[in-house]
Amino acid sequence: MKSKLLIALVLASMAGGVGASETVMIGCVAPLTGPQAHLGKDIENGARLAVDAINASQPTLGGKPVQFELQVEDDQADPKTATVVAQKLVDEGAKGVIGHLNSGASIPASRIYADNGIPQVSPASTAVAYTHQGYETTFRLMANDSQQGKALGQYAAKLGKRVAVVDDRTAYGQGLIDEVVKAVQASGAEVVGREYTTDKSTDFTAILTSIKSKRPDVVVFGGMDPQAAPMIRQMRTLGMKIPFMGGDGMQSAEFIKLAGPAAEGVIGSSPGLPLANMPGGAAFTKRYTERFGKIQIYAPFSHDAAEVLIRAMLKADSAEPEQYLPELAKTQIDGIIGPIAFDDKGDLKDGPVTLYQVKSGKWETLEIMGGASAR
Amino acid sequence: MDVLLQQLLNGLILGSLYAMVALGYTMVYGILELINFAHGEIVMLGAMVAVSLLTLLVGAGVPVPLALFLALGAAVAVCMLTGILVERVAYRPLRNAPRLAPLITAIGVSIVLQNLAMIFWGRQYLSFPPVQEVQVYDWMGATVTNVQLIIVGVAALTMGGLLLLVNRTRLGRAMRATAQNREVAGLMGVDVNRVIAVTFAVGSALAAVAGLLIAAYYGIAHYNMGFTLGLKAFSAAVLGGIGNIPGALLGGLLLGVIESLGAGYIGDLTGGFLGSHYQDIFAFFVLILVLVFRPSGLLGERVGERA
């Protein structure tokens, strides 16, 4: 009887010991319902893998043992919901945030985090504006649209000296093509035609005819797959056999389906490295698959987002945002996705962009531009 | 020169598609003085039915000509039934109501059809299965494909057939009589309700054919494709003189050519100030000009000939 009481006492004191280790809340926001739910779950799982690994290594902050806790929220890929859950995380005392997925959600939410001084690392948002609002708290691990446009432009200039461009007049398409034009001109090639369309058009024969008359060597399109697919079909029917390129808006399986045989040889870019080319890709895939199944796209990025946040806290020896934010900005680590360092805006330095080409009805890696491969 | 020729060809192909859809607007307007805003949605329905069935049949190994025939037949049947149903449910009860009421109903029907299609087919784009190897022919420096020739051919045949139907048959005479004066036609023994239903059915069948051609030409179909298309075709009908069948043909072809030339040359003409995405400015500017100087459209005064 006495020994039993003793054991109970010992157990109680141990439990007390665990309770004494502090908990640091880290927010993780992505769409967990709706058509992008699988991508949101990808982000959550990637971050969880990183947090669990660090917790298992018995981390300490200020000499006290500490456990990191992932607080997951659903922004439904909706700007308004994004601000609501952002405020919720702030109120609950999150010390840092991984997210959001969509630029349209990251940007309005970033203001709330910035007002409360909470660092935000997005694993997925690519709109240039996200890190260019003047906030010190915004970071991202994906190459942004401007880095992508630059890569596309440089590659286009390699393919030929006469480049024609088309954009769909959306913020994305126009932004991408503006960067393409700059990069083409910087590479010593010439932009011989710039035409415009809309994100609802399906007939491009008129602008393509006009482009054809300017005898370009390559056409670059800034827009989404529902326009890119009819565009390449119409290019081929107009007898234009020159290469056709575009950004991540058309680098999709949907594009190949819609364009049919005309998709063959088309070049599309996407920010980030393909999983197979990431330095930690193979090991990460194994760890992830064992626990969660198939990786969609973002898991390696959200894993590293959690990693840079927590590593900065450990280095600053504090989970207080004002203490660890300077360390976060100075991050220098080798992540799963490659070497990670931020520029003064919070963008990934030298963010890699991968070019893919359709071969036998599949996107195959063509070339990796920027990033680790350039070092 | 070859650029101009190519732009004209582009415009004529686009225009023949507009013309087929414009006919549907003009026929209904001729008879009921109703702008059937749901007509663009009927075209969409035709395209969606044809593409999904074609994908299914070709996937199941049915020979292509048979699959095309079945898909077209099904699209025509679905569209005719929808057209008749819409007329019966949404327009007939309002036939003697103030003109604004059926107009609003028409917009409502358009939204309903669009949303039904979205629920049934989802938001993604359907792709037209590659049933016909595209062959490109060079002609005086311009290119034209076998698919484009088929489109223009089919459009010309169906529109020719419609003209024959309206001008040479007993049914056509009943349609023209109803268009001129519904009450008097009724007194002369014309079954007005039946004639109106048939008009909707014929217009919708044309829409189904147009839907298939459009899906074949662009390679895609989408629940939202009918809206802009309907607006353009309606403009074409007004341009040619709404209610007038040759007017719809002329208006459609003209709008296609103007759009094509506009998109091709607007950038050069304005020194880059206006880009090619302003192509619609050209089309609608011409529309406004025509309406200012000829309020009834280009061929609008020949009221006696309208369907």
Side-chain angles (χ1 to χ4, degrees), chain A residues 57-363:
Chain A
S57 70
Q58 293 170 336
T60 58
L61 284 180
K64 280 189 206 148
V66 66
Q67 290 287 296
F68 296 93
E69 181 203 335
L70 208 58
Q71 176 71 29
V72 185
E73 297 289 345
D74 177 15
D75 69 9
Q76 299 169 15
D78 171 54
K80 244 188 294 172
T81 315
T83 57
V84 173
V85 294
Q87 190 60 51
K88 181 166 177 260
L89 283 174
V90 168
D91 294 345
E92 285 174 352
K95 301 294 183 198
V97 172
I98 302 156
H100 303 199
L101 194 165
N102 314 79
S103 296
S106 284
I107 292 170
S110 65
R111 187 182 159 172
I112 293 170
Y113 303 130
D115 284 350
N116 293 281
I118 296 172
Q120 174 189 9
V121 185
S122 171
S125 300
T126 60
V128 174
Y130 164 58
T131 49
H132 287 232
Q133 305 173 90
Y135 300 143
E136 288 178 0
T137 48
T138 50
F139 299 87
R140 75 172 122 215
L141 294 180
M142 273 277 182
N144 65 25
D145 290 344
S146 123
Q147 289 164 316
Q148 197 185 162
K150 193 174 153 199
L152 270 174
Q154 285 171 348
Y155 197 82
K158 265 207 306 202
L159 290 176
K161 289 294 151 210
R162 301 172 64 83
V163 181
V165 296
V166 183
D167 78 65
D168 67 358
R169 294 278 100 182
T170 61
Y172 164 74
Q174 192 176 344
L176 193 70
I177 291 300
D178 283 345
E179 293 300 327
V180 170
V181 168
K182 272 189 231 160
V184 164
Q185 286 163 346
S187 313
E190 189 190 353
V191 175
V192 294
R194 177 157 193 179
E195 296 289 343
Y196 311 95
T197 182
T198 72
D199 57 349
K200 290 175 189 69
S201 304
T202 44
D203 193 299
F204 310 102
T205 48
I207 57 174
L208 289 173
T209 303
S210 161
I211 283 176
K212 189 186 175 190
S213 70
K214 289 166 182 146
R215 290 173 289 105
D217 299 318
V218 51
V219 177
V220 188
F221 173 58
M224 310 303 287
D225 44 26
Q227 276 68 47
M231 191 176 289
I232 181 63
R233 279 187 183 222
Q234 287 162 31
M235 261 178 74
R236 298 301 182 235
T237 50
L238 285 170
M240 300 167 76
K241 299 185 179 79
I242 52 176
F244 181 67
M245 308 174 62
D248 55 337
M250 55 172 267
Q251 198 270 316
S252 64
E254 185 79 0
F255 170 77
I256 298 178
K257 196 187 102 193
L258 293 177
E264 218 44 37
V266 170
I267 298 166
S269 66
S270 194
L273 295 174
L275 196 57
N277 292 63
M278 288 180 186
F284 179 76
T285 309
K286 191 166 171 290
R287 268 170 67 202
Y288 187 97
T289 326
E290 273 170 10
R291 197 162 151 194
F292 300 113
K294 195 176 172 311
I295 296 176
Q296 302 288 341
I297 310 170
Y298 297 118
F301 297 89
S302 63
H303 173 279
D304 283 2
E307 190 93 16
V308 293
L309 270 174
I310 296 174
R311 291 265 202 104
M313 290 178 188
L314 295 177
K315 204 160 181 199
D317 209 16
S318 162
E320 286 317 309
E322 62 267 29
Q323 304 285 323
Y324 83 85
L325 183 57
E327 289 298 336
L328 181 59
K330 283 188 286 183
T331 295
Q332 284 282 356
I333 67 169
D334 284 316
I336 305 280
I337 61 166
I340 299 173
F342 297 112
D343 66 10
D344 55 351
K345 299 279 187 207
D347 280 328
L348 192 60
K349 251 186 211 164
D350 233 348
V353 174
T354 308
L355 293 176
Y356 298 84
Q357 186 168 34
V358 182
K359 284 182 188 148
S360 332
K362 267 203 184 116
W363 289 107

Side-chain angles (χ1 to χ4, degrees), chain B residues 14-89:
Chain B
L14 185 63
S16 60
L17 294 173
Y18 284 160
M20 284 193 76
V21 184
L23 280 174
Y25 279 97
T26 243
M27 284 173 68
V28 168
Y29 186 86
I31 281 203
L32 286 180
E33 300 203 350
L34 161 74
I35 296 163
N36 179 16
F37 272 116
H39 191 65
E41 264 43 74
I42 305 274
V43 178
M44 173 273 293
L45 217 55
M48 299 296 270
V49 169
V51 169
S52 3
L53 203 62
L54 199 57
T55 311
L56 207 71
L57 290 175
V58 170
V62 176
V64 168
L66 181 66
L68 266 174
F69 182 75
L70 288 175
L72 182 63
V76 167
V78 169
C79 287
M80 281 172 100
L81 283 178
T82 314
I84 294 171
L85 190 75
V86 165
E87 192 271 330
R88 184 70 193 83
V89 174

